[in-house]
Amino acid sequence: MKVLADDHSKIADSQLVEKCQLGDQSSFRLLYQRYQYKVRATLYKLCGSELLDDLQQEVFLKAWKSLPKLKNPQYFSTWLYRICWNVSCDQGLATKKDRQRKLARINQVKQSLEYDLAKSRHDSQKGLNRLHYQELIENALQQLSLDHRVVIVLHDLEDLQQKEVAQILSIPIGTVKSRLFQARKNLRSYLETEGITL
Amino acid sequence: MKKMTKKQPLEDDVLVNFLQTYSRPTPLENKPCEDLIMRSIAQHKSNTLTTKKLNPRRLFWLLPFTIFSGFLMLSGHLFRQKLSPQLVSDYQDMDSFMINTWQESMVEEEPEEDFFFVNEEYPYVVGSY
């Protein structure tokens, strides 16, 4: 079984994409397994957890449907991140659900706080600090505009290069740099108001 | 300005490090996403197959019908072509007939022929007076 997994990991994305374009579903399953965590993490940081499962499915379904149009299979990951961004934008436009999302987030934070508090009684101070920071970062990201947030998520959290970010968002690299600068500045000032100086 | 450019990358690194260390981990899936996606894909594939590609079995039935309808159309076309000269000759006959009858109807008659005398038609009525 391990041998099989190793063999699969050796296959390049472009080869899998070409097979998918011929209708091979098992190749798409491999691509899904390869990228599901990255896609999920990006969507979570951009849109929150409320509709995460649905958004994840939407991204991969759109990818499957649009795969025949992908001319350069070697840019699959960039292309997939672009689909993520488009889905996030569509989701961001649905502002009606913002309140529900915030409530759900508060409940989730509350639940995780209770869970973690119970779990880390022996090391309560350390655990509390961690939870506090997590909540702060989440709030700090949410108070950024979507354009600034996506640059931080892709570049600083997903470790993509500025060039790739520019390709994903279809903007010049200079715009990526300026957005990154502005977003970091906003994050820093937010964290400072919450008592964290970096 | 010089001071800023030297300080900025270090500050950025600290911020990025802080974000990466304390970001909330991505929540686990609540639904079996992989299975759901693969099922949707299979469904989508079957849909596209039925709309875009023809099933060989369907083709087997479709082919004779296509040939038969083609044959019908061709024979209909030929039949119509055969009929059309006859129609023209009918028109010619009808034309000559119209001319003849028209001329006959236009022959002028004597106006006296339209008159008649009462005595000639009703002699018994006149005699009773």
Side-chain angles (χ1 to χ4, degrees), chain B residues 55-115:
Chain B
N55 194 350
R57 207 172 171 182
R58 257 190 184 185
L59 197 70
F60 176 78
W61 287 108
L62 198 68
L63 205 65
F65 278 113
T66 317
I67 292 168
F68 182 68
S69 57
F71 174 74
L72 268 179
M73 282 170 75
L74 188 72
S75 56
H77 180 70
L78 287 174
F79 185 67
R80 208 176 155 192
Q81 263 188 342
K82 234 181 182 181
L83 277 179
S84 51
Q86 206 176 338
L87 270 170
V88 171
S89 68
D90 279 351
Y91 277 124
Q92 282 170 346
D93 289 346
M94 200 163 75
D95 205 26
S96 57
F97 170 76
M98 288 286 281
I99 290 164
N100 289 333
T101 50
W102 181 259
Q103 279 175 341
E104 279 172 15
S105 68
M106 289 295 284
V107 172
E108 284 188 9
E109 291 174 349
E110 292 290 322
E112 288 151 6
E113 285 179 5
D114 290 337
F115 301 130

Side-chain angles (χ1 to χ4, degrees), chain A:
Chain A
M1 198 65 190
K2 203 181 173 185
V3 174
L4 270 175
D6 287 347
D7 285 341
H8 288 153
S9 65
K10 281 176 190 170
I11 305 171
D13 283 357
S14 54
Q15 284 177 301
L16 289 174
V17 169
E18 280 165 5
K19 283 182 180 176
C20 289
Q21 286 174 332
L22 296 171
D24 185 15
Q25 291 177 41
S26 55
S27 297
F28 191 75
R29 191 187 282 274
L30 287 176
L31 281 174
Y32 173 83
Q33 287 164 356
R34 216 172 261 189
Y35 284 98
Q36 63 161 322
Y37 296 110
K38 285 181 181 177
V39 167
R40 193 172 175 82
T42 308
L43 287 171
Y44 173 60
K45 277 155 195 142
L46 289 174
C47 306
S49 62
E50 197 200 354
L51 296 167
L52 193 55
D53 288 345
D54 295 339
L55 294 175
Q56 187 183 336
Q57 287 177 59
E58 196 180 332
V59 166
F60 281 101
L61 270 178
K62 278 191 176 176
W64 172 259
K65 285 176 187 173
S66 312
L67 261 174
K69 294 173 198 165
L70 181 62
K71 287 174 186 172
N72 299 313
Q74 66 269 27
Y75 297 128
F76 175 75
S77 68
T78 308
W79 179 76
L80 193 64
Y81 273 117
R82 188 179 293 175
I83 295 176
C84 263
W85 168 236
N86 289 337
V87 168
S88 303
C89 281
D90 293 344
Q91 175 59 23
L93 288 172
T95 47
K96 286 179 186 175
K97 291 179 180 174
D98 268 0
R99 282 186 180 179
Q100 289 177 354
R101 206 179 301 152
K102 278 175 187 170
L103 276 173
R105 205 184 308 135
I106 288 166
N107 285 334
Q108 193 199 349
V109 169
K110 212 175 170 183
Q111 279 176 359
S112 63
L113 254 171
E114 284 167 358
Y115 173 75
D116 281 299
L117 269 172
K119 200 180 172 186
S120 60
R121 270 180 190 165
H122 64 283
D123 199 8
S124 59
Q125 192 55 46
K126 200 179 170 186
L128 273 172
N129 273 346
R130 188 171 189 86
L131 285 173
H132 178 60
Y133 291 154
Q134 282 181 351
E135 197 179 344
L136 273 181
I137 289 171
E138 201 168 312
N139 290 339
L141 284 174
Q142 290 301 320
Q143 58 90 35
L144 291 177
S145 69
L146 199 57
D147 285 339
H148 284 167
R149 202 188 313 159
V150 71
V151 174
I152 290 284
V153 168
L154 293 177
H155 186 267
D156 289 350
L157 297 173
E158 291 297 314
D159 278 332
L160 296 180
Q161 290 178 354
Q162 289 183 353
K163 194 183 166 188
E164 277 181 286
V165 177
Q167 283 173 341
I168 290 164
L169 303 177
S170 304
I171 52 173
I173 198 161
T175 312
V176 173
K177 283 177 183 173
S178 66
R179 282 186 190 175
L180 201 58
F181 174 77
Q182 197 60 42
R184 282 172 177 168
K185 194 180 164 189
N186 290 347
L187 277 178
R188 230 177 261 122
S189 63
Y190 179 85
L191 291 171
E192 274 174 14
T193 56
E194 295 294 326
I196 294 168
T197 314
L198 296 167

Side-chain angles (χ1 to χ4, degrees), chain B:
Chain B
M1 195 67 188
K2 252 186 177 178
K3 199 180 175 185
M4 265 196 78
T5 48
K6 278 183 180 176
K7 196 184 172 185
Q8 205 64 37
L10 185 68
E11 277 186 357
D12 287 348
D13 286 346
V14 173
L15 177 70
V16 171
N17 190 34
F18 178 77
L19 291 175
Q20 286 180 344
T21 310
Y22 292 108
S23 277
R24 202 182 289 281
T26 310
L28 296 170
E29 293 174 357
N30 295 318
K31 299 174 188 173
C33 289
E34 186 175 336
D35 289 340
L36 287 170
I37 289 166
M38 295 314 291
R39 219 177 295 162
S40 308
I41 284 168
Q43 207 175 346
H44 177 255
K45 196 186 175 187
S46 66
N47 285 346
T48 48
L49 269 177
T50 48
T51 50
K52 286 180 181 173
K53 288 181 184 174
L54 283 171
N55 194 350
R57 207 172 171 182
R58 257 190 184 185
L59 197 70
F60 176 78
W61 287 108
L62 198 68
L63 205 65
F65 278 113
T66 317
I67 292 168
F68 182 68
S69 57
F71 174 74
L72 268 179
M73 282 170 75
L74 188 72
S75 56
H77 180 70
L78 287 174
F79 185 67
R80 208 176 155 192
Q81 263 188 342
K82 234 181 182 181
L83 277 179
S84 51
Q86 206 176 338
L87 270 170
V88 171
S89 68
D90 279 351
Y91 277 124
Q92 282 170 346
D93 289 346
M94 200 163 75
D95 205 26
S96 57
F97 170 76
M98 288 286 281
I99 290 164
N100 289 333
T101 50
W102 181 259
Q103 279 175 341
E104 279 172 15
S105 68
M106 289 295 284
V107 172
E108 284 188 9
E109 291 174 349
E110 292 290 322
E112 288 151 6
E113 285 179 5
D114 290 337
F115 301 130
F116 65 91
F117 296 100
V118 177
N119 288 347
E120 286 173 7
E121 287 291 313
Y122 308 102
Y124 52 92
V125 177
V126 174
S128 63
Y129 278 102

